[in-house]
Amino acid sequence: MDVAGARLVDGVVLDAPAGAFVGLVGPNGSGKSTLLRCVYRARRPDAGVVRVGGEDVHRLAPRAAARLLAALPQETAADFDFTVGEVVAMGRLPHRDRSAARDREICARALADAGVAHLAARGFLSLSGGEKQRVLIARALAQEPRVLVLDEPTNHLDIAHQLDVLRRVRASGPTVLAALHDLNLAAAHCDLLHVLHGGRVVASGPPDEVLSAALLAEVFGVRAHRVRHPETGATQFLFDPLTP
């Protein structure tokens, strides 16, 4: 993918197994958002193909693609003050040939799964940034995608809601492909990680295998001290700069 003569993502081969929570991690400018935009059709790659269940998503009609993929970009404009319930119902548009009762049932479940059922009657513009983020996740879940693409889904969320949203998304069913900045959240919640650096994938695999001190020093420029969560056993890190 070239933009203004600069190659942003190059030679990426990435696999997201069905039902897995797959994380993209890497420093700012490493190509995470560009790669995700290619996946959810906001950009067309200059070469290569994005497949979901064998289907080339860039060859599909928009409605057919929306039945396979749902996305939460980093920034989502909302100029009209729909209610939360109306915003989530927009996720049903690719399936508008189904029954209204079935749509209402799916929307109610998505609201509950995202932890925002109590906000259904509120105006979207009246919400905090974190509440909006969870509502947009609910809208994506209401779309019933096979793959849910999330670009920094924990933006605007306090720590309790970060943990809650990732837990709920993981339990929601679809394959999840998410760009995450917080390496501790990524290590705790992802089945697989792909580490991007300079527009290329430099490491892939389970978090325990991928997030080595040497890789974190090379890619992120930090000294990492590996510890274990005392209850879950998940790998977690303490960080220091490479130079004082």
Side-chain angles (χ1 to χ4, degrees), residues 1-4 6 8-9 31 33-46 50 57-58:
M1 171 63 68
D2 291 331
V3 175
L8 302 181
V9 178
S33 292
T34 298
L35 181 58
L36 292 185
R37 290 185 189 113
C38 290
V39 173
Y40 63 79
R41 294 169 33 111
R43 287 186 179 274
R44 180 178 287 273
D46 300 320
V50 178
V57 300
H58 287 276

Side-chain angles (χ1 to χ4, degrees), residues 191-220:
D191 300 304
L192 294 172
L193 289 180
H194 299 285
V195 183
L196 272 72
H197 188 43
R200 293 179 176 270
V201 174
V202 296
S204 296
D208 255 4
E209 298 175 10
V210 167
L211 297 178
S212 67
L215 179 136
L216 294 174
E218 177 183 354
V219 172
F220 292 93

Side-chain angles (χ1 to χ4, degrees), residues 50-116:
V50 178
R51 295 190 187 277
V52 175
E55 297 274 9
D56 179 347
V57 300
H58 287 276
R59 290 183 176 272
L60 295 174
R63 187 181 177 197
R67 289 181 168 184
L68 292 179
L69 288 159
L72 177 63
Q74 282 193 43
E75 297 180 4
T76 303
D79 297 326
F80 301 101
D81 196 15
F82 294 108
T83 68
V84 166
E86 290 168 337
V87 169
V88 173
M90 292 175 190
R92 299 304 302 156
L93 291 177
H95 308 277
R96 61 181 180 270
D97 56 340
R98 294 191 177 180
S99 73
R102 175 68 173 151
D103 284 345
R104 288 193 295 271
E105 177 187 333
I106 291 168
C107 289
R109 184 171 67 243
L111 285 161
D113 286 348
V116 290

Side-chain angles (χ1 to χ4, degrees), residues 2-242:
D2 291 331
V3 175
R7 187 162 290 273
L8 302 181
V9 178
D10 186 30
V12 170
V13 178
L14 185 151
D15 185 41
F21 193 126
V22 180
L24 297 182
V25 298
N28 293 337
S30 60
K32 300 185 300 297
S33 292
T34 298
L35 181 58
L36 292 185
R37 290 185 189 113
C38 290
V39 173
Y40 63 79
R41 294 169 33 111
R43 287 186 179 274
R44 180 178 287 273
D46 300 320
V49 63
V50 178
R51 295 190 187 277
V52 175
E55 297 274 9
D56 179 347
V57 300
H58 287 276
R59 290 183 176 272
L60 295 174
R63 187 181 177 197
R67 289 181 168 184
L68 292 179
L69 288 159
L72 177 63
Q74 282 193 43
E75 297 180 4
T76 303
D79 297 326
F80 301 101
D81 196 15
F82 294 108
T83 68
V84 166
E86 290 168 337
V87 169
V88 173
M90 292 175 190
R92 299 304 302 156
L93 291 177
H95 308 277
R96 61 181 180 270
D97 56 340
R98 294 191 177 180
S99 73
R102 175 68 173 151
D103 284 345
R104 288 193 295 271
E105 177 187 333
I106 291 168
C107 289
R109 184 171 67 243
L111 285 161
D113 286 348
V116 290
H118 63 292
L119 300 175
R122 287 272 301 275
F124 183 76
L125 296 183
S126 74
L127 304 180
S128 70
E131 289 171 330
K132 289 177 180 177
Q133 192 81 341
R134 289 185 286 145
V135 170
L136 294 174
I137 289 173
R139 183 180 68 181
L141 292 176
Q143 202 168 317
E144 289 192 306
R146 291 181 62 176
V147 177
L148 178 59
V149 182
L150 305 173
D151 196 352
E152 297 298 335
T154 56
N155 277 354
H156 311 297
L157 300 181
D158 59 50
I159 186 60
H161 284 112
Q162 288 178 14
L163 297 173
D164 185 57
V165 160
L166 292 180
R167 176 185 63 81
R168 289 174 181 271
V169 166
R170 184 180 177 89
S172 63
T175 301
V176 178
L177 181 61
L180 297 166
H181 265 306
D182 190 315
L183 294 179
N184 284 322
L185 289 176
H189 292 276
C190 294
D191 300 304
L192 294 172
L193 289 180
H194 299 285
V195 183
L196 272 72
H197 188 43
R200 293 179 176 270
V201 174
V202 296
S204 296
D208 255 4
E209 298 175 10
V210 167
L211 297 178
S212 67
L215 179 136
L216 294 174
E218 177 183 354
V219 172
F220 292 93
V222 295
R223 283 193 301 133
H225 310 274
R226 186 190 293 258
V227 297
R228 292 285 181 185
H229 191 287
E231 293 185 5
T232 67
T235 297
Q236 299 284 268
F237 296 93
L238 304 172
F239 298 106
D240 290 310
L242 278 179

